[in-house]
Amino acid sequence: MLWTQIGAGICTLMFGGLLFNLVRLRGRLQAAASWIAVEGVIIASEVKAPSAHVSDDLNDATPLIRYRYRVGGREFESDRTRIGGTAMTTRTLATRQAGQYPVGAVVDVHVDPKDPGNAVLDPSQVGNLSAQVVLTVTFGIIAAVLIAHAIAGRVLYAANGIPLFAFLLPALAFAAAVAAILAFVRMRRLATASLRWPTAPGTVTASRVIEEMIEDRSDDDRTRVKKIHRYQVDLRYAYRVGNRDFVGVQPNWGWTGIYGLRELAESAASKYPPGQAVTVHYDPRQPSQAVLEPESRQGSFAPLIFGAISAAVATALVWIFVRASFS
């Protein structure tokens, strides 16, 4: 059990470090809410990604946004857009994030009054938060299981010989279901609130179809690789609130549509041709958050469906394990 004890210690340390970082991140987020806002200008907006690229499902890209601002007569530059940094993501999502900050756009830069060199564009957003929460919970569960084994001095099994750590699978599936349901509730609250948001005139600046190439390896033969084509709509619309420029990317509050046929994606993109005038509903407290169709329910039930599937999988696993334990 030596290696189990060592693993328990390492995972416990990892869990403690991740939990401490989450608490610190929460404090930084609260502090950033009171930072001063000054005028800034976007001077660079691109996607940083490795030249070698295998599949568009890979999280190998990062949006790189750089801006210039002045505080107290001094000029500063920064590339931080949110508290906690920017997580690596797919090239499509990175391109969409970079598209929200075109070069030359006038933006609000939120500056730490104690350290003017410390600034972000959107203090309400936390980079890497979801990944950090998942990692923290994962290492916490693993540490708990390993500690239980270490205390018992042996690997713990159910009555039928199933290792107790196997029951972590339905627990994780239930956690995914809860997360999806919470996402659905948040989405519906946003949809309801956005019906009362103020509006601003906007113009569609881009509406194109992005083709993604996904690798699908056979379970029987990992050397066999099948290329799958899928398509998304890259929609962008520019609008102005006060003397600040913004670029929105959401037509409605549903999950981003992914199409198996280019014709379907092109049909969706044709709804908003470039140059078309649109009415933008924006959050008065956070103008960068906007939508074109606040009343639309298209794609809004996707999180609920995903949550139902995850809950069904978790329930099935629990039923199988419990039935096997009493058989």
Side-chain angles (χ1 to χ4, degrees):
M1 298 297 294
L2 176 61
W3 287 110
T4 300
Q5 295 171 350
I6 293 174
I10 292 175
C11 289
T12 300
L13 289 174
M14 292 290 293
F15 170 70
L18 289 168
L19 185 61
F20 172 77
N21 191 53
L22 277 178
V23 173
R24 186 177 64 173
L25 196 61
R26 181 173 179 270
R28 292 168 62 191
L29 182 63
Q30 291 176 336
S34 61
W35 287 359
I36 60 174
V38 300
E39 182 178 293
V41 178
I42 303 297
I43 58 175
S45 180
E46 58 186 352
V47 174
K48 184 179 179 181
S51 56
H53 185 62
V54 179
S55 173
D56 287 316
D57 257 348
L58 295 176
N59 292 327
D60 61 354
T62 306
L64 180 60
I65 315 298
R66 194 157 191 85
Y67 51 92
R68 183 180 294 123
Y69 61 100
R70 296 182 67 86
V71 177
R74 294 178 59 195
E75 191 171 90
F76 296 88
E77 287 188 13
S78 178
D79 59 3
R80 296 180 61 208
T81 58
R82 55 185 64 183
I83 300 295
T86 304
M88 295 190 72
T89 184
T90 64
R91 298 196 177 200
T92 299
L93 289 178
T95 301
R96 186 173 291 129
Q97 291 175 23
Q100 292 182 274
Y101 298 102
V103 174
V106 179
V107 296
D108 274 332
V109 180
H110 298 264
V111 182
D112 184 352
K114 299 178 181 179
D115 179 13
N118 184 22
V120 293
L121 291 180
D122 194 346
S124 64
Q125 297 293 324
V126 181
N128 297 323
L129 179 61
S130 298
Q132 290 188 45
V133 170
V134 171
L135 282 175
T136 302
V137 173
T138 300
F139 274 101
I141 293 174
I142 294 174
V145 171
L146 291 178
I147 289 173
H149 290 334
I151 292 175
R154 58 186 177 83
V155 177
L156 301 177
Y157 294 90
N160 65 331
I162 297 178
L164 289 186
F165 60 75
F167 287 89
L168 293 177
L169 294 176
L172 292 175
F174 273 124
V178 171
I181 292 172
L182 290 176
F184 172 76
V185 172
R186 177 182 178 275
M187 187 183 298
R188 294 315 306 160
R189 285 179 177 174
L190 275 174
T192 301
S194 62
L195 290 171
R196 301 186 296 272
W197 285 354
T199 61
T203 304
V204 176
T205 58
S207 182
R208 63 191 182 96
V209 174
I210 297 177
E211 180 179 6
E212 295 182 298
M213 192 81 72
I214 310 302
E215 278 195 352
D216 182 25
R217 295 183 180 274
S218 171
D219 293 334
D220 299 327
D221 184 3
R222 303 297 293 177
T223 61
R224 295 178 57 187
V225 179
K226 180 182 179 182
K227 295 288 187 180
I228 298 176
H229 295 265
R230 70 183 188 192
Y231 307 90
Q232 294 188 44
V233 176
D234 180 18
L235 171 67
R236 304 178 196 179
Y237 48 91
Y239 61 102
R240 193 172 178 86
V241 178
N243 60 345
R244 299 292 184 261
D245 298 314
F246 297 94
V247 174
V249 295
Q250 290 181 280
N252 54 54
W253 293 118
W255 280 6
T256 301
I258 297 177
Y259 304 89
L261 296 175
R262 174 178 283 274
E263 292 78 11
L264 295 177
E266 289 177 345
S267 175
S270 65
K271 185 176 181 180
Y272 292 106
Q276 176 178 316
V278 291
T279 299
V280 181
H281 299 253
Y282 66 91
D283 186 347
R285 296 173 300 179
Q286 187 183 341
S288 61
Q289 183 164 257
V291 68
L292 296 181
E293 306 168 13
E295 73 286 347
S296 174
R297 292 180 176 268
Q298 183 178 358
S300 62
F301 288 98
L304 199 60
I305 295 172
F306 177 79
I309 294 174
S310 297
V313 170
T315 302
L317 288 173
V318 170
W319 181 79
I320 292 172
F321 290 161
V322 170
R323 186 166 181 256
S325 298
F326 290 97
S327 62

PDB file of all heavy atoms in Angstrom, residues 2-3 7 13 24 35 84 89 91 101 137 149-150 159 167 181 193 207 264 292:
ATOM      1  N   LEU A   2       2.175   1.094  -0.129  1.00  0.00           N
ATOM      2  CA  LEU A   2       3.047   2.262  -0.079  1.00  0.00           C
ATOM      3  C   LEU A   2       2.697   3.260  -1.170  1.00  0.00           C
ATOM      4  O   LEU A   2       2.600   4.471  -0.924  1.00  0.00           O
ATOM      5  CB  LEU A   2       4.512   1.820  -0.190  1.00  0.00           C
ATOM      6  CG  LEU A   2       5.542   2.971  -0.242  1.00  0.00           C
ATOM      7  CD1 LEU A   2       5.466   3.809   1.034  1.00  0.00           C
ATOM      8  CD2 LEU A   2       6.937   2.419  -0.460  1.00  0.00           C
ATOM      9  N   TRP A   3       2.529   2.745  -2.398  1.00  0.00           N
ATOM     10  CA  TRP A   3       2.239   3.647  -3.507  1.00  0.00           C
ATOM     11  C   TRP A   3       0.860   4.284  -3.357  1.00  0.00           C
ATOM     12  O   TRP A   3       0.636   5.426  -3.797  1.00  0.00           O
ATOM     13  CB  TRP A   3       2.333   2.896  -4.834  1.00  0.00           C
ATOM     14  CG  TRP A   3       3.744   2.576  -5.218  1.00  0.00           C
ATOM     15  CD1 TRP A   3       4.351   1.355  -5.238  1.00  0.00           C
ATOM     16  CD2 TRP A   3       4.749   3.521  -5.609  1.00  0.00           C
ATOM     17  NE1 TRP A   3       5.659   1.467  -5.618  1.00  0.00           N
ATOM     18  CE2 TRP A   3       5.942   2.784  -5.863  1.00  0.00           C
ATOM     19  CE3 TRP A   3       4.767   4.904  -5.769  1.00  0.00           C
ATOM     20  CZ2 TRP A   3       7.118   3.387  -6.262  1.00  0.00           C
ATOM     21  CZ3 TRP A   3       5.941   5.510  -6.170  1.00  0.00           C
ATOM     22  CH2 TRP A   3       7.108   4.764  -6.416  1.00  0.00           C
ATOM     23  N   GLY A   7       0.361   8.166  -3.364  1.00  0.00           N
ATOM     24  CA  GLY A   7      -0.631   8.778  -4.258  1.00  0.00           C
ATOM     25  C   GLY A   7      -1.645   9.610  -3.505  1.00  0.00           C
ATOM     26  O   GLY A   7      -2.037  10.700  -3.951  1.00  0.00           O
ATOM     27  N   LEU A  13      -2.277  17.048  -1.642  1.00  0.00           N
ATOM     28  CA  LEU A  13      -1.553  18.299  -1.836  1.00  0.00           C
ATOM     29  C   LEU A  13      -2.068  19.048  -3.063  1.00  0.00           C
ATOM     30  O   LEU A  13      -2.237  20.275  -3.038  1.00  0.00           O
ATOM     31  CB  LEU A  13      -0.058  18.027  -1.964  1.00  0.00           C
ATOM     32  CG  LEU A  13       0.670  17.588  -0.682  1.00  0.00           C
ATOM     33  CD1 LEU A  13       2.117  17.222  -0.995  1.00  0.00           C
ATOM     34  CD2 LEU A  13       0.620  18.707   0.366  1.00  0.00           C
ATOM     35  N   ARG A  24      -8.419  32.170  -3.747  1.00  0.00           N
ATOM     36  CA  ARG A  24      -7.687  33.389  -4.095  1.00  0.00           C
ATOM     37  C   ARG A  24      -8.281  34.038  -5.344  1.00  0.00           C
ATOM     38  O   ARG A  24      -8.377  35.268  -5.433  1.00  0.00           O
ATOM     39  CB  ARG A  24      -6.215  33.061  -4.323  1.00  0.00           C
ATOM     40  CG  ARG A  24      -5.346  34.302  -4.541  1.00  0.00           C
ATOM     41  CD  ARG A  24      -3.898  33.929  -4.697  1.00  0.00           C
ATOM     42  NE  ARG A  24      -3.667  33.125  -5.883  1.00  0.00           N
ATOM     43  CZ  ARG A  24      -2.465  32.781  -6.331  1.00  0.00           C
ATOM     44  NH1 ARG A  24      -1.387  33.158  -5.661  1.00  0.00           N
ATOM     45  NH2 ARG A  24      -2.330  32.047  -7.416  1.00  0.00           N
ATOM     46  N   TRP A  35     -12.309  48.116  -9.524  1.00  0.00           N
ATOM     47  CA  TRP A  35     -11.222  48.790 -10.223  1.00  0.00           C
ATOM     48  C   TRP A  35     -11.762  49.936 -11.069  1.00  0.00           C
ATOM     49  O   TRP A  35     -12.915  49.906 -11.530  1.00  0.00           O
ATOM     50  CB  TRP A  35     -10.466  47.806 -11.117  1.00  0.00           C
ATOM     51  CG  TRP A  35      -9.593  46.843 -10.353  1.00  0.00           C
ATOM     52  CD1 TRP A  35      -9.416  46.781  -9.013  1.00  0.00           C
ATOM     53  CD2 TRP A  35      -8.795  45.800 -10.922  1.00  0.00           C
ATOM     54  NE1 TRP A  35      -8.549  45.764  -8.695  1.00  0.00           N
ATOM     55  CE2 TRP A  35      -8.151  45.142  -9.852  1.00  0.00           C
ATOM     56  CE3 TRP A  35      -8.561  45.349 -12.222  1.00  0.00           C
ATOM     57  CZ2 TRP A  35      -7.292  44.070 -10.040  1.00  0.00           C
ATOM     58  CZ3 TRP A  35      -7.707  44.280 -12.427  1.00  0.00           C
ATOM     59  CH2 TRP A  35      -7.077  43.656 -11.334  1.00  0.00           C
ATOM     60  N   GLY A  84      -7.474  35.627 -13.986  1.00  0.00           N
ATOM     61  CA  GLY A  84      -7.091  34.222 -14.030  1.00  0.00           C
ATOM     62  C   GLY A  84      -6.504  33.773 -15.344  1.00  0.00           C
ATOM     63  O   GLY A  84      -6.188  32.603 -15.517  1.00  0.00           O
ATOM     64  N   THR A  89      -8.227  26.750 -25.856  1.00  0.00           N
ATOM     65  CA  THR A  89      -9.491  26.221 -26.344  1.00  0.00           C
ATOM     66  C   THR A  89      -9.327  25.797 -27.802  1.00  0.00           C
ATOM     67  O   THR A  89      -8.209  25.770 -28.331  1.00  0.00           O
ATOM     68  CB  THR A  89     -10.594  27.287 -26.190  1.00  0.00           C
ATOM     69  OG1 THR A  89     -11.849  26.734 -26.576  1.00  0.00           O
ATOM     70  CG2 THR A  89     -10.292  28.515 -27.047  1.00  0.00           C
ATOM     71  N   ARG A  91      -9.596  26.105 -31.914  1.00  0.00           N
ATOM     72  CA  ARG A  91      -9.290  27.239 -32.793  1.00  0.00           C
ATOM     73  C   ARG A  91     -10.544  28.038 -33.144  1.00  0.00           C
ATOM     74  O   ARG A  91     -10.499  29.256 -33.280  1.00  0.00           O
ATOM     75  CB  ARG A  91      -8.591  26.742 -34.054  1.00  0.00           C
ATOM     76  CG  ARG A  91      -7.267  26.061 -33.756  1.00  0.00           C
ATOM     77  CD  ARG A  91      -6.397  25.906 -34.966  1.00  0.00           C
ATOM     78  NE  ARG A  91      -5.118  25.301 -34.607  1.00  0.00           N
ATOM     79  CZ  ARG A  91      -4.023  25.385 -35.340  1.00  0.00           C
ATOM     80  NH1 ARG A  91      -4.034  26.036 -36.474  1.00  0.00           N
ATOM     81  NH2 ARG A  91      -2.902  24.817 -34.945  1.00  0.00           N
ATOM     82  N   TYR A 101     -12.775  41.543 -30.119  1.00  0.00           N
ATOM     83  CA  TYR A 101     -11.899  42.690 -29.859  1.00  0.00           C
ATOM     84  C   TYR A 101     -11.105  43.031 -31.118  1.00  0.00           C
ATOM     85  O   TYR A 101      -9.914  42.769 -31.210  1.00  0.00           O
ATOM     86  CB  TYR A 101     -10.945  42.390 -28.703  1.00  0.00           C
ATOM     87  CG  TYR A 101     -11.651  42.132 -27.397  1.00  0.00           C
ATOM     88  CD1 TYR A 101     -11.823  40.835 -26.928  1.00  0.00           C
ATOM     89  CD2 TYR A 101     -12.138  43.181 -26.626  1.00  0.00           C
ATOM     90  CE1 TYR A 101     -12.475  40.587 -25.720  1.00  0.00           C
ATOM     91  CE2 TYR A 101     -12.780  42.948 -25.414  1.00  0.00           C
ATOM     92  CZ  TYR A 101     -12.953  41.648 -24.970  1.00  0.00           C
ATOM     93  OH  TYR A 101     -13.589  41.404 -23.780  1.00  0.00           O
ATOM     94  N   VAL A 137     -12.358  19.383  -8.026  1.00  0.00           N
ATOM     95  CA  VAL A 137     -13.293  18.330  -7.631  1.00  0.00           C
ATOM     96  C   VAL A 137     -12.715  16.952  -7.930  1.00  0.00           C
ATOM     97  O   VAL A 137     -12.800  16.031  -7.106  1.00  0.00           O
ATOM     98  CB  VAL A 137     -14.649  18.516  -8.354  1.00  0.00           C
ATOM     99  CG1 VAL A 137     -15.563  17.323  -8.091  1.00  0.00           C
ATOM    100  CG2 VAL A 137     -15.314  19.798  -7.893  1.00  0.00           C
ATOM    101  N   HIS A 149      -8.546   3.981   1.092  1.00  0.00           N
ATOM    102  CA  HIS A 149      -7.802   2.739   0.874  1.00  0.00           C
ATOM    103  C   HIS A 149      -6.581   2.676   1.793  1.00  0.00           C
ATOM    104  O   HIS A 149      -6.254   1.619   2.342  1.00  0.00           O
ATOM    105  CB  HIS A 149      -7.346   2.642  -0.586  1.00  0.00           C
ATOM    106  CG  HIS A 149      -8.480   2.409  -1.548  1.00  0.00           C
ATOM    107  ND1 HIS A 149      -9.654   1.807  -1.189  1.00  0.00           N
ATOM    108  CD2 HIS A 149      -8.611   2.699  -2.875  1.00  0.00           C
ATOM    109  CE1 HIS A 149     -10.458   1.727  -2.231  1.00  0.00           C
ATOM    110  NE2 HIS A 149      -9.845   2.266  -3.281  1.00  0.00           N
ATOM    111  N   ALA A 150      -5.902   3.829   1.934  1.00  0.00           N
ATOM    112  CA  ALA A 150      -4.698   3.849   2.763  1.00  0.00           C
ATOM    113  C   ALA A 150      -5.024   3.579   4.227  1.00  0.00           C
ATOM    114  O   ALA A 150      -4.294   2.862   4.923  1.00  0.00           O
ATOM    115  CB  ALA A 150      -3.999   5.198   2.617  1.00  0.00           C
ATOM    116  N   ALA A 159     -19.497  -6.005  -2.033  1.00  0.00           N
ATOM    117  CA  ALA A 159     -19.697  -7.415  -1.704  1.00  0.00           C
ATOM    118  C   ALA A 159     -19.435  -8.348  -2.878  1.00  0.00           C
ATOM    119  O   ALA A 159     -19.007  -9.487  -2.701  1.00  0.00           O
ATOM    120  CB  ALA A 159     -21.126  -7.625  -1.187  1.00  0.00           C
ATOM    121  N   PHE A 167     -17.589   3.354  -8.189  1.00  0.00           N
ATOM    122  CA  PHE A 167     -18.794   4.138  -7.947  1.00  0.00           C
ATOM    123  C   PHE A 167     -18.558   5.633  -8.185  1.00  0.00           C
ATOM    124  O   PHE A 167     -19.490   6.431  -8.130  1.00  0.00           O
ATOM    125  CB  PHE A 167     -19.282   3.916  -6.510  1.00  0.00           C
ATOM    126  CG  PHE A 167     -19.907   2.556  -6.307  1.00  0.00           C
ATOM    127  CD1 PHE A 167     -19.126   1.467  -5.943  1.00  0.00           C
ATOM    128  CD2 PHE A 167     -21.273   2.358  -6.494  1.00  0.00           C
ATOM    129  CE1 PHE A 167     -19.694   0.222  -5.763  1.00  0.00           C
ATOM    130  CE2 PHE A 167     -21.841   1.120  -6.315  1.00  0.00           C
ATOM    131  CZ  PHE A 167     -21.048   0.032  -5.949  1.00  0.00           C
ATOM    132  N   ILE A 181     -27.763  21.278 -15.769  1.00  0.00           N
ATOM    133  CA  ILE A 181     -29.029  21.866 -15.331  1.00  0.00           C
ATOM    134  C   ILE A 181     -28.810  23.301 -14.843  1.00  0.00           C
ATOM    135  O   ILE A 181     -29.610  24.199 -15.128  1.00  0.00           O
ATOM    136  CB  ILE A 181     -29.666  21.001 -14.228  1.00  0.00           C
ATOM    137  CG1 ILE A 181     -30.112  19.653 -14.831  1.00  0.00           C
ATOM    138  CG2 ILE A 181     -30.864  21.711 -13.589  1.00  0.00           C
ATOM    139  CD1 ILE A 181     -30.584  18.659 -13.810  1.00  0.00           C
ATOM    140  N   ALA A 193     -34.193  38.066 -18.542  1.00  0.00           N
ATOM    141  CA  ALA A 193     -33.695  39.406 -18.237  1.00  0.00           C
ATOM    142  C   ALA A 193     -33.435  40.215 -19.503  1.00  0.00           C
ATOM    143  O   ALA A 193     -33.694  41.427 -19.544  1.00  0.00           O
ATOM    144  CB  ALA A 193     -32.417  39.315 -17.406  1.00  0.00           C
ATOM    145  N   SER A 207     -20.579  36.963 -41.191  1.00  0.00           N
ATOM    146  CA  SER A 207     -21.505  35.844 -41.061  1.00  0.00           C
ATOM    147  C   SER A 207     -21.050  34.781 -42.048  1.00  0.00           C
ATOM    148  O   SER A 207     -21.458  34.764 -43.206  1.00  0.00           O
ATOM    149  CB  SER A 207     -22.939  36.281 -41.354  1.00  0.00           C
ATOM    150  OG  SER A 207     -23.833  35.203 -41.173  1.00  0.00           O
ATOM    151  N   LEU A 264     -26.901  23.288 -44.316  1.00  0.00           N
ATOM    152  CA  LEU A 264     -27.664  23.737 -43.150  1.00  0.00           C
ATOM    153  C   LEU A 264     -26.975  24.924 -42.481  1.00  0.00           C
ATOM    154  O   LEU A 264     -27.632  25.879 -42.055  1.00  0.00           O
ATOM    155  CB  LEU A 264     -27.817  22.583 -42.155  1.00  0.00           C
ATOM    156  CG  LEU A 264     -28.645  21.386 -42.624  1.00  0.00           C
ATOM    157  CD1 LEU A 264     -28.645  20.285 -41.571  1.00  0.00           C
ATOM    158  CD2 LEU A 264     -30.077  21.816 -42.935  1.00  0.00           C
ATOM    159  N   LEU A 292     -29.069  39.095 -30.074  1.00  0.00           N
ATOM    160  CA  LEU A 292     -29.959  39.651 -31.094  1.00  0.00           C
ATOM    161  C   LEU A 292     -31.401  39.173 -30.926  1.00  0.00           C
ATOM    162  O   LEU A 292     -32.340  39.914 -31.208  1.00  0.00           O
ATOM    163  CB  LEU A 292     -29.461  39.259 -32.492  1.00  0.00           C
ATOM    164  CG  LEU A 292     -28.100  39.794 -32.920  1.00  0.00           C
ATOM    165  CD1 LEU A 292     -27.770  39.331 -34.335  1.00  0.00           C
ATOM    166  CD2 LEU A 292     -28.052  41.311 -32.824  1.00  0.00           C
TER     167      LEU A 292
END
